[in-house]
Amino acid sequence: MTDTNTNNEEKDKLKLDMDQSADVEVGGELDDSKAKFINGGKSLDEQVVMIEGGSNEVPFTGLGKEELMRYANDPFWKKVRLILFVLFWIGWLAMLVAAIVIIVLAPRCPPRPDLKWYNTDTFYQVFTKSFKDTNKEDGLGAGVGDINGIESKLSYFEDLGIKALWISSLYPTDKNPALNYAVVDHKAIDKELGTLEDFRNLRRVTKKKGIKLILDFIPNFTSRNHAWFVSSRNQEEKFKDFYVWRPCNVTHLPSNWLSVHGGSAWTRDPERGQCYLHQFSEDEPELDLTNEDVLRELESILRFWLNIGVDGFNVVAAPYLIENSTFSDEPDSGGDYEYLEHIYTANQPGSVELVQKWRSVVDSFSKPGKEKLLIVTAPRQTRNDSLLYYGSNKNNGAHIVPVSLLPKACTTLAECINEQLTSVISGSDWRGWMMGDSSSERFGSRVDKVYHKAVQTIEMLLPGTFFNYYGDELGMPDGPAAADSGLKYTNPMCWDVSDNCGFSMYTPWNSVLKNFHVMSVGAHGANFAGYPLLLSFKDLNELRSNESCQFGKTSFGLGISQDVFWMTRKAEGFPGYLILANLGATTVTQPAIPGVPDEVIQRYCSNGEKPGKTFANTFFRLDKGASYVFEY
């Protein structure tokens, strides 16, 4: 009996196990989704797998073919599909049309002109002999600024935001006390100023700092001690016609031509027995720039310095490169420049063509982002004469021909500036602005101190490239009068209030300004110094980097008083700027400037007020010498 019951229990248990196995089997396979792994603290080999009971449900496998065809042929679903198809393409076409409308009607991004570094950077012209002396021992070059002195002050340039240096002549000369223009060797450095290796090192350091370097190129003349002139005087075959020689005697000169500095432009050389031409000093005989051998030599000079890594050149005395080959007398003009009308000695077509040739040499070294520059300085020239040196559409000339904001003595500053801008800005050529240089009156003497910031504000925010002559950012005036006028404009840079104004530990080659202690770099940065010209320069140079001041349209004119000058700079899509300056002797209340919005934000004030204040464009009270820059 017991055996029978036991057998029945075992059969029931076996049947239950088979039923459970059937529950978890689907199509002959185990449903692993019902599996559980039980560790129970045992090792991996001892883990138990338990499979829970599954379901007998059959999975959905979709509609059959006959069912699908029934829906496909149903008129209602055909209509739905057609409607959805049409709506899709209508929506697609609507989006396409909307995109086209947005592209056509939406405001376009304002175009940016392709400006190069020489269009955007502020240039600082360094007269090396007067900038900074670093000689440690009394001897050659003591008291004379040098190349290493320039390198020692690179942080000064960086602080001012200067990214381009124009270095005046570095070449060995006849020791002219003021200017290094009577060159003895165009491919060397004056020993007083340093060595060629010093210059190479300066070029390496400035390149790392992103500062450009340009040099003077002096093709018009050389020193009488230049090897070329010595050989030409001796009539050696290759060099016989390197200079402009003409038959003459003591009583009869080749023509009535006059030197720029006065007196005859001809000097008789006793060794050759002929007269040589010099449009400047008699120590600077004129090269014959119609001679192909001379031109090849000059081109090799350009290539020499370009291979070292300079970024461009300033062509010195470009209007006097070529003279009329007839050597005819010039007529009496009854005016300045020794009363001769210089129709045969200045701005000859050949001079313009030479500039175009040298431009092609410079361009051959240019690369995208590393363009080379050619400047032409053309003092004493009219606007139309200076424009010649830009070249033509077929033959490019100079990139920039700088002009002065104040080319003549002015009784009314605002009227004088307005007249000059009306003449100059009307052209499409890129202009450069410079107030002074090593051969002309300094900004600090040309403009009364009370108007320094006002004139500085106008000049630095004009369209074009701004050129600053060393010390002008401090308001340095001309030095004491001297027989050689060059000495008046090349006094040592004022760095601090120590002996020799921090320029040198030795007696400087040129006299130090008497009042240097109030205009030195150190004095401008002193506590309680107010808002000095140097800080104004720095702030205005930063404003110059804004798009409207870089390439915006320019409008200008005189205000309610002839002593008030206003100017606007506005580039499409960018904030514009309104410049106001009172260059008169009394306070003026200036009404709103037409075309400027009702509200403006102050960005600069000559009294040093912090920027950011908002003003209504209604009336502006302008004190004597005050200048403002407003953003709108």
Side-chain angles (χ1 to χ4, degrees), residues 217 219 228 287 289 294-302 358:
F217 175 52
W228 297 346
L287 287 163
L289 298 182
V294 174
L295 295 182
R296 278 190 287 271
E297 291 287 351
L298 292 175
E299 184 175 319
S300 74
I301 293 169
L302 291 175
W358 295 328

Side-chain angles (χ1 to χ4, degrees), residues 479-546:
D484 185 337
S485 62
L487 288 171
K488 297 174 62 176
Y489 319 125
T490 55
N491 300 90
M493 178 73 172
C494 301
W495 292 106
D496 55 42
V497 296
S498 62
D499 291 342
N500 303 325
C501 66
F503 165 71
S504 176
M505 60 188 298
Y506 304 107
T507 302
W509 75 279
N510 194 2
S511 60
V512 174
L513 295 173
K514 292 182 179 179
N515 59 342
F516 70 85
H517 58 284
V518 299
M519 68 176 60
S520 67
V521 174
H524 277 247
N527 293 325
F528 315 117
Y531 186 63
L533 189 65
L534 181 62
L535 186 54
S536 170
F537 178 97
K538 182 178 178 180
D539 289 342
L540 289 169
N541 197 36
E542 186 175 348
L543 269 175
R544 276 180 55 82
S545 64
N546 291 298

Side-chain angles (χ1 to χ4, degrees), residues 259-365:
S259 164
V260 170
H261 299 313
S264 176
W266 298 98
T267 293
R268 188 174 185 275
D269 180 71
E271 293 188 37
R272 176 152 171 165
Q274 290 182 316
C275 284
Y276 63 85
L277 178 67
H278 55 86
Q279 295 223 55
F280 295 87
S281 165
E282 66 178 19
D283 296 323
E284 299 165 340
E286 297 276 319
L287 287 163
D288 184 354
L289 298 182
T290 64
N291 186 318
E292 290 298 325
D293 288 332
V294 174
L295 295 182
R296 278 190 287 271
E297 291 287 351
L298 292 175
E299 184 175 319
S300 74
I301 293 169
L302 291 175
R303 294 184 180 278
F304 174 82
W305 292 105
L306 286 167
N307 282 321
I308 287 179
V310 302
D311 297 292
F313 302 93
N314 164 53
V315 182
V316 175
Y320 308 101
L321 295 171
I322 296 287
E323 305 79 28
N324 189 282
S325 60
T326 65
F327 299 100
S328 302
D329 284 350
E330 293 184 321
D332 191 331
S333 65
D336 294 333
Y337 191 3
E338 297 285 333
Y339 307 108
L340 286 185
E341 186 178 348
H342 297 279
I343 60 175
Y344 299 130
T345 55
N347 300 309
Q348 300 298 299
S351 297
V352 176
E353 293 169 4
L354 280 178
V355 171
Q356 293 170 347
K357 287 183 179 180
W358 295 328
R359 167 68 183 269
S360 65
V361 174
V362 169
D363 284 348
S364 68
F365 281 78

